[in-house]
Amino acid sequence: MAPPPGTNRPAAGPLRLQVYQRLRAAIEAGVFAPGARLPPSRDHARSLGVARNTVLWALERLRAEGYVVARVGDGSYVAPAIAALAPRRGAQRLAGAGTLLSGRGRLIADTALRWQPPLAPPLPFRIGYPAADLFPFAVWDRLGPRGAGRARRDQARYLEPAGHAPLRTAIAQWLLVSRGIRCAPGQVLVTSGSQQGIDLIARLLLDPGDEVLVEDPGYPGIRACLHGHGVAVRPVNVDADGLVIAEGAARWPGARLAVVTPTHQFPLGVRMSLARRLALLAWARERAAWIVEDDYDGEFQYGPHRIPALCSLPDAQRVIYVGTFSKTLHPGLRLGFVVLPEALVDAFAAAKALTDRHSPGEAQETLARFIAEGHLLRHLRRMREAYLERQAVAIDALARASGGAWRLAPSAQGMHLLHEAAPGLRDAALSARAHEAGVFLAPLSAYAIESRRRGWVVGYAGYAPAELRAAARRLGPLIAAA
Ligand SMILES: Cc1ncc(COP(=O)(O)O)c(C=O)c1O
């Protein structure tokens, strides 16, 4: 076993004291989380080149001080109470890094830390989560790594940066059927979620200082990525037809790229009209600019006719389609893709290789089978039914619990709803009270740059009806008191 970080062989002084100090520092720094099992003393001693008794002495002292708990016959664990050190650790990390980072590093870290997507397990009504309770894990596991001997060994090496060929083919076929997109498998680049797609686009198509149009309000994850690359993020209004490109073009005439969510605007939920789509394509053509189509939840359209992707329109050569399996399957997979003009594929694959070589091979193989054997389309059909039901439950439960104060309009698409309030209202206040009551309620202001639109975004897809009802009951009195 490798030595735990921060516990390399000590340089001087009584060895047992140094082992104790390093181990304690590693626990305080969060290298070993509260409740984590510490390495077995025999392995730890061997990796440090010290006697086992030296490590046992250090562990005994940490136990006496309350850092460690020993479980008879089962080794040593970090005491759960150490969690109380966590806030201090976070603050130290932020304060300490500033002087160590380059200017670019500070920009990236600062931007990313301000975005900070929450990591805690999703609570209703947090947005963006698909139904993990309905995910077909048994099917997924059955489709997992296959073969033996030579076939298996062939996969245990560096793989194609652009992605597993059968997966690229499966994605191209699925996009044709489901989103009306005609593309060759060779135009599909497999990424680690759509976040990596945006990162590659920013690095390969933009220079620091370039202007990019974004929807306001819009998705902070994309803005943070662009900002971290030194790109000037320019807000553009969104109305009932989607991003108001005429306003954006007039106000920011030098913009080189626009990022849009045309199927289901994030977070307002509007669908971009055909007239606006055509105006956007005309803007890109005239300015030789790029359009990034973030189709994050485009599969979840509940009406009889699904609107195809923007990039399926004629004359859409300057549209780069960014897809993700974070909503169609689950975000822990970290698999997504971009559909690129052929001329850009090699450069993007090379840049992807520079970042992380390629996405994990076994997950790509499993996903390729999952799509090719029809499980994805079946899963999506089921999810559309479940999400429509969950949406109705959320609307009904919130209306009842709030005494009719919240009557959310149903939506024919997506995984969240919007309850809009008066412009400029302090929507974060209710969100904070909701959070204290164990309910997650994103304020619309969290997604705004200049926009004064306010309200709350209600995610429903990831939660069983009973959870939605329970959360609405907790929220009801807070809405009434607001
Ligand atoms: C608008 C939007 N785009 C993209 C994503 C997905 O990001 P990723 O594929 O990196 O998980 C999300 C997830 O919340 C989102 O809300």
PDB file of all heavy atoms in Angstrom, residues 193-195 219 266 294 296 324 326-327 334, ligand 1:
ATOM      1  N   GLY A 193     -18.653  14.544 -19.833  1.00  0.00           N
ATOM      2  CA  GLY A 193     -19.780  15.454 -19.578  1.00  0.00           C
ATOM      3  C   GLY A 193     -19.736  16.665 -20.488  1.00  0.00           C
ATOM      4  O   GLY A 193     -18.752  16.897 -21.200  1.00  0.00           O
ATOM      5  N   SER A 194     -20.812  17.443 -20.473  1.00  0.00           N
ATOM      6  CA  SER A 194     -20.834  18.616 -21.353  1.00  0.00           C
ATOM      7  C   SER A 194     -19.867  19.684 -20.851  1.00  0.00           C
ATOM      8  O   SER A 194     -19.411  20.526 -21.608  1.00  0.00           O
ATOM      9  CB  SER A 194     -22.250  19.169 -21.503  1.00  0.00           C
ATOM     10  OG  SER A 194     -22.753  19.545 -20.264  1.00  0.00           O
ATOM     11  N   GLN A 195     -19.526  19.624 -19.564  1.00  0.00           N
ATOM     12  CA  GLN A 195     -18.582  20.620 -19.035  1.00  0.00           C
ATOM     13  C   GLN A 195     -17.244  20.535 -19.782  1.00  0.00           C
ATOM     14  O   GLN A 195     -16.645  21.548 -20.106  1.00  0.00           O
ATOM     15  CB  GLN A 195     -18.377  20.367 -17.528  1.00  0.00           C
ATOM     16  CG  GLN A 195     -17.760  21.520 -16.778  1.00  0.00           C
ATOM     17  CD  GLN A 195     -18.636  22.764 -16.704  1.00  0.00           C
ATOM     18  OE1 GLN A 195     -19.845  22.692 -16.829  1.00  0.00           O
ATOM     19  NE2 GLN A 195     -18.014  23.914 -16.540  1.00  0.00           N
ATOM     20  N   TYR A 219     -27.045  29.301 -17.354  1.00  0.00           N
ATOM     21  CA  TYR A 219     -26.374  28.244 -16.579  1.00  0.00           C
ATOM     22  C   TYR A 219     -24.975  28.693 -16.107  1.00  0.00           C
ATOM     23  O   TYR A 219     -24.093  28.938 -16.935  1.00  0.00           O
ATOM     24  CB  TYR A 219     -26.255  26.995 -17.452  1.00  0.00           C
ATOM     25  CG  TYR A 219     -25.548  25.835 -16.794  1.00  0.00           C
ATOM     26  CD1 TYR A 219     -25.923  25.388 -15.540  1.00  0.00           C
ATOM     27  CD2 TYR A 219     -24.511  25.178 -17.443  1.00  0.00           C
ATOM     28  CE1 TYR A 219     -25.283  24.321 -14.944  1.00  0.00           C
ATOM     29  CE2 TYR A 219     -23.860  24.103 -16.855  1.00  0.00           C
ATOM     30  CZ  TYR A 219     -24.250  23.685 -15.603  1.00  0.00           C
ATOM     31  OH  TYR A 219     -23.612  22.635 -15.011  1.00  0.00           O
ATOM     32  N   PHE A 266     -32.450  27.248 -19.994  1.00  0.00           N
ATOM     33  CA  PHE A 266     -32.088  27.088 -18.588  1.00  0.00           C
ATOM     34  C   PHE A 266     -31.830  28.465 -17.996  1.00  0.00           C
ATOM     35  O   PHE A 266     -30.961  29.184 -18.499  1.00  0.00           O
ATOM     36  CB  PHE A 266     -30.827  26.230 -18.432  1.00  0.00           C
ATOM     37  CG  PHE A 266     -30.517  25.981 -16.992  1.00  0.00           C
ATOM     38  CD1 PHE A 266     -30.992  24.856 -16.350  1.00  0.00           C
ATOM     39  CD2 PHE A 266     -29.793  26.909 -16.253  1.00  0.00           C
ATOM     40  CE1 PHE A 266     -30.742  24.650 -15.007  1.00  0.00           C
ATOM     41  CE2 PHE A 266     -29.537  26.707 -14.910  1.00  0.00           C
ATOM     42  CZ  PHE A 266     -30.010  25.573 -14.295  1.00  0.00           C
ATOM     43  N   ASP A 294     -26.471  23.887 -26.211  1.00  0.00           N
ATOM     44  CA  ASP A 294     -26.425  23.028 -25.028  1.00  0.00           C
ATOM     45  C   ASP A 294     -27.804  22.380 -24.891  1.00  0.00           C
ATOM     46  O   ASP A 294     -28.753  23.000 -24.432  1.00  0.00           O
ATOM     47  CB  ASP A 294     -26.077  23.891 -23.800  1.00  0.00           C
ATOM     48  CG  ASP A 294     -26.125  23.098 -22.493  1.00  0.00           C
ATOM     49  OD1 ASP A 294     -26.235  21.862 -22.547  1.00  0.00           O
ATOM     50  OD2 ASP A 294     -26.049  23.733 -21.412  1.00  0.00           O
ATOM     51  N   TYR A 296     -29.071  20.110 -22.935  1.00  0.00           N
ATOM     52  CA  TYR A 296     -28.889  19.320 -21.707  1.00  0.00           C
ATOM     53  C   TYR A 296     -30.076  18.419 -21.373  1.00  0.00           C
ATOM     54  O   TYR A 296     -29.897  17.333 -20.859  1.00  0.00           O
ATOM     55  CB  TYR A 296     -28.562  20.259 -20.537  1.00  0.00           C
ATOM     56  CG  TYR A 296     -29.720  21.167 -20.174  1.00  0.00           C
ATOM     57  CD1 TYR A 296     -30.469  20.950 -19.028  1.00  0.00           C
ATOM     58  CD2 TYR A 296     -30.083  22.213 -21.006  1.00  0.00           C
ATOM     59  CE1 TYR A 296     -31.538  21.759 -18.719  1.00  0.00           C
ATOM     60  CE2 TYR A 296     -31.156  23.017 -20.700  1.00  0.00           C
ATOM     61  CZ  TYR A 296     -31.878  22.783 -19.559  1.00  0.00           C
ATOM     62  OH  TYR A 296     -32.954  23.573 -19.267  1.00  0.00           O
ATOM     63  N   THR A 324     -25.130  15.625 -23.223  1.00  0.00           N
ATOM     64  CA  THR A 324     -24.647  15.051 -21.964  1.00  0.00           C
ATOM     65  C   THR A 324     -25.497  13.841 -21.589  1.00  0.00           C
ATOM     66  O   THR A 324     -26.695  13.810 -21.899  1.00  0.00           O
ATOM     67  CB  THR A 324     -24.697  16.083 -20.820  1.00  0.00           C
ATOM     68  OG1 THR A 324     -24.231  15.462 -19.618  1.00  0.00           O
ATOM     69  CG2 THR A 324     -26.097  16.633 -20.584  1.00  0.00           C
ATOM     70  N   SER A 326     -25.697  13.212 -18.447  1.00  0.00           N
ATOM     71  CA  SER A 326     -25.955  13.527 -17.037  1.00  0.00           C
ATOM     72  C   SER A 326     -27.436  13.563 -16.721  1.00  0.00           C
ATOM     73  O   SER A 326     -27.827  13.366 -15.570  1.00  0.00           O
ATOM     74  CB  SER A 326     -25.340  14.883 -16.674  1.00  0.00           C
ATOM     75  OG  SER A 326     -23.943  14.796 -16.686  1.00  0.00           O
ATOM     76  N   LYS A 327     -28.267  13.871 -17.700  1.00  0.00           N
ATOM     77  CA  LYS A 327     -29.724  13.912 -17.455  1.00  0.00           C
ATOM     78  C   LYS A 327     -30.397  12.648 -17.997  1.00  0.00           C
ATOM     79  O   LYS A 327     -31.302  12.116 -17.383  1.00  0.00           O
ATOM     80  CB  LYS A 327     -30.371  15.125 -18.133  1.00  0.00           C
ATOM     81  CG  LYS A 327     -29.597  16.407 -18.030  1.00  0.00           C
ATOM     82  CD  LYS A 327     -29.562  16.948 -16.632  1.00  0.00           C
ATOM     83  CE  LYS A 327     -28.605  18.112 -16.545  1.00  0.00           C
ATOM     84  NZ  LYS A 327     -28.332  18.567 -15.205  1.00  0.00           N
ATOM     85  N   ARG A 334     -20.231  10.821 -15.883  1.00  0.00           N
ATOM     86  CA  ARG A 334     -19.315  11.778 -16.534  1.00  0.00           C
ATOM     87  C   ARG A 334     -19.089  11.409 -18.000  1.00  0.00           C
ATOM     88  O   ARG A 334     -17.946  11.299 -18.466  1.00  0.00           O
ATOM     89  CB  ARG A 334     -17.962  11.899 -15.811  1.00  0.00           C
ATOM     90  CG  ARG A 334     -17.981  12.424 -14.418  1.00  0.00           C
ATOM     91  CD  ARG A 334     -18.937  13.547 -14.157  1.00  0.00           C
ATOM     92  NE  ARG A 334     -18.724  14.760 -14.946  1.00  0.00           N
ATOM     93  CZ  ARG A 334     -19.733  15.518 -15.392  1.00  0.00           C
ATOM     94  NH1 ARG A 334     -20.993  15.210 -15.170  1.00  0.00           N
ATOM     95  NH2 ARG A 334     -19.472  16.605 -16.085  1.00  0.00           N
TER      96      ARG A 334
HETATM   97  C1  LIG B   1     -27.878  24.000 -18.604  1.00  0.00           C
HETATM   98  C2  LIG B   1     -27.022  22.818 -18.302  1.00  0.00           C
HETATM   99  N1  LIG B   1     -26.117  22.404 -19.183  1.00  0.00           N
HETATM  100  C3  LIG B   1     -25.345  21.324 -18.951  1.00  0.00           C
HETATM  101  C4  LIG B   1     -25.459  20.613 -17.778  1.00  0.00           C
HETATM  102  C5  LIG B   1     -24.721  19.284 -17.600  1.00  0.00           C
HETATM  103  O1  LIG B   1     -23.457  19.353 -17.283  1.00  0.00           O
HETATM  104  P1  LIG B   1     -22.538  18.025 -17.318  1.00  0.00           P
HETATM  105  O2  LIG B   1     -22.770  17.294 -18.584  1.00  0.00           O
HETATM  106  O3  LIG B   1     -21.173  18.571 -17.237  1.00  0.00           O
HETATM  107  O4  LIG B   1     -22.933  17.196 -16.139  1.00  0.00           O
HETATM  108  C6  LIG B   1     -26.330  21.038 -16.798  1.00  0.00           C
HETATM  109  C7  LIG B   1     -26.383  20.312 -15.520  1.00  0.00           C
HETATM  110  O5  LIG B   1     -26.889  20.732 -14.531  1.00  0.00           O
HETATM  111  C8  LIG B   1     -27.151  22.146 -17.079  1.00  0.00           C
HETATM  112  O6  LIG B   1     -28.068  22.546 -16.181  1.00  0.00           O
END
